[in-house]
Amino acid sequence: YLLANDLNASETATWAQGYGFNPIGSFSGSFDGRGHEIRGLTVNRPNSGNVGLFGRAWGATISQLRITQASIVGKNNVGGLAGQNVHSSSILNSSFEGSVSGTDVVGGLVGFNAHNSSIRRSSSSGSVQATGQRIGGIAGQNFTGSSITDSYSLSSLTGHRNVGGLVGLSSGGTTIERSFSTGAVVGSGGFFGGFAGASFGTISDSFWDLNSSGRTSSHGSGATGKSTYQMKSLSTFTGAGWDVKASGGTWKMLQGSTYPLLSWEPLPIYLPSEIFFQAGILIENQPAGMLAGKVHALVSSYQYMPGMGIGNKVVIINDANHMGISFLRGEELKVTGIGSGGSVNGRTIYRP
């Protein structure tokens, strides 16, 4: 199955006397969203299990699908994209943004990820709320030979027990690699952590934000808590072997301004007012309309020379001080010189 266009699903809020969309039951095929968006989906089934756009993905492949501004309500095995992802199913290059709520085994993207299934290069944002246990930003539970790789969650989490920024419970024989979470984690019972509520599997090269999560610890090993500043620093992730590149990699980021983004995601249009420049910066040659604010050089001292270059270019030359320069939309910043961290000759950053 292919999704040919973006889909406005906001009218589902009025379907079935307020119960909304009825989840696609047991799906065993291939669904390619082709990068399109389903916006405004409502599923309101508080007494039902296996709730999401897909109730259960069984030996299925779901890819390149974005769900935004959604509200998903169920009981057990509840996820923004799928209630269950089981029996060698695969979810990749997909995302969910919205609210998810239920009782047990509730996740921002998937409720129950099990039986040699995988979640790759996918994300969630918004909120996940549950009254029971196994509550996670990406998956409520990661079970029996299943994996989560190169994925992240920005979702806030509220639950009772086994509550984690990325996963509520990751059972023995599972893996999580190169993933991160940032959302606030609130648990009223036991076993809750910045990254994993409870982990008995293998976690490697993964991180959570100490500041935004409000959690200084995570169950198990393999995930490291970092400050927000460190979570927006390129070196945190390249030092752990992440494939972060301006193009052609798995991840990309705006140094000092964003958390890592998956390569298929668009860069944000509006950024905080401070943009930090360093050698190896990943914001070169982006389309116009991406950056605005103030640039600071971090690799060495630079002199900011407004008016030099062609047209609206501003040239930064080396061997001066660390002062910042504010810039306007519709212009361009040209960076020349060599910093102590490596060559930055000829980098061009386009401004909105």
Side-chain angles (χ1 to χ4, degrees):
Y1 296 91
L2 300 175
L3 185 61
N5 301 288
D6 290 347
L7 180 63
N8 184 349
S10 58
E11 69 175 37
T12 57
T14 64
W15 288 7
Q17 297 180 325
Y19 286 103
F21 180 77
N22 189 22
I24 300 168
S26 187
F27 180 73
S28 299
S30 174
F31 188 97
D32 185 350
R34 303 179 71 182
H36 292 301
E37 168 190 82
I38 297 176
R39 184 177 69 256
L41 177 68
T42 294
V43 180
N44 184 23
R45 310 278 170 160
N47 298 313
S48 299
N50 300 332
V51 172
L53 172 64
F54 297 90
R56 179 192 291 118
W58 184 291
T61 298
I62 302 170
S63 63
Q64 300 189 92
L65 178 61
R66 296 182 296 123
I67 300 175
T68 63
Q69 301 175 33
S71 174
I72 309 295
V73 179
K75 188 175 182 180
N76 302 326
N77 295 330
V78 184
L81 184 59
Q84 292 192 38
N85 188 53
V86 296
H87 294 285
S88 301
S89 288
S90 177
I91 293 174
L92 65 155
N93 294 3
S94 296
S95 63
F96 175 86
E97 178 269 313
S99 63
V100 181
S101 61
T103 302
D104 294 320
V105 196
V106 181
L109 193 72
V110 168
F112 190 52
N113 188 49
H115 312 305
N116 302 305
S117 296
S118 64
I119 298 170
R120 293 176 287 151
R121 300 190 300 273
S122 296
S123 68
S124 76
S125 61
S127 65
V128 182
Q129 296 182 311
T131 57
Q133 60 180 327
R134 289 170 282 174
I135 319 301
I138 286 290
Q141 183 170 3
N142 194 33
F143 187 64
T144 57
S146 294
S147 62
I148 301 171
T149 308
D150 292 316
S151 297
Y152 72 89
S153 174
L154 309 181
S155 298
S156 62
L157 288 302
T158 303
H160 177 64
R161 183 179 177 87
N162 294 338
V163 185
L166 193 95
V167 62
L169 171 62
S170 198
S171 304
T174 61
T175 60
I176 300 176
E177 300 177 282
R178 296 182 305 276
S179 298
F180 75 90
S181 62
T182 69
V185 177
V186 177
S188 58
F191 289 99
F192 40 88
F195 187 84
S199 174
F200 304 97
T202 299
I203 299 175
S204 60
D205 303 319
S206 296
F207 303 94
W208 83 91
D209 190 316
L210 291 166
N211 302 119
S212 59
S213 69
R215 295 295 168 188
T216 59
S217 64
S218 180
H219 191 263
S221 61
T224 304
K226 298 285 187 179
S227 68
T228 300
Y229 178 85
Q230 291 171 315
M231 291 288 289
K232 294 183 178 181
S233 298
L234 175 63
S235 59
T236 296
F237 303 95
T238 55
W242 288 36
D243 179 27
V244 189
K245 298 178 181 177
S247 62
T250 303
W251 299 90
K252 61 187 176 183
M253 66 187 298
L254 301 182
Q255 165 68 28
S257 296
T258 70
Y259 296 107
L261 295 163
L262 291 160
S263 60
W264 58 265
E265 295 180 286
L267 288 167
I269 295 175
Y270 299 106
L271 299 176
S273 61
E274 305 291 310
I275 297 171
F276 295 91
F277 180 84
Q278 67 176 39
I281 193 167
L282 300 179
I283 57 178
E284 57 182 297
N285 300 323
Q286 294 295 336
M290 288 298 178
L291 306 178
K294 180 178 286 188
V295 170
H296 294 269
L298 298 183
V299 292
S300 74
S301 296
Y302 291 91
Q303 183 178 1
Y304 302 91
M305 301 291 291
M308 294 182 62
I310 300 173
N312 291 320
K313 290 182 180 177
V314 176
V315 177
I316 300 178
I317 58 176
N318 59 351
D319 299 327
N321 55 42
H322 278 270
M323 62 183 294
I325 180 171
S326 297
F327 53 94
L328 303 175
R329 298 179 182 177
E331 296 180 331
E332 182 180 284
L333 175 68
K334 180 75 172 180
V335 181
T336 62
I338 299 177
S340 60
S343 173
V344 294
N345 279 321
R347 305 276 190 185
T348 299
I349 305 171
Y350 295 97
R351 302 177 281 178

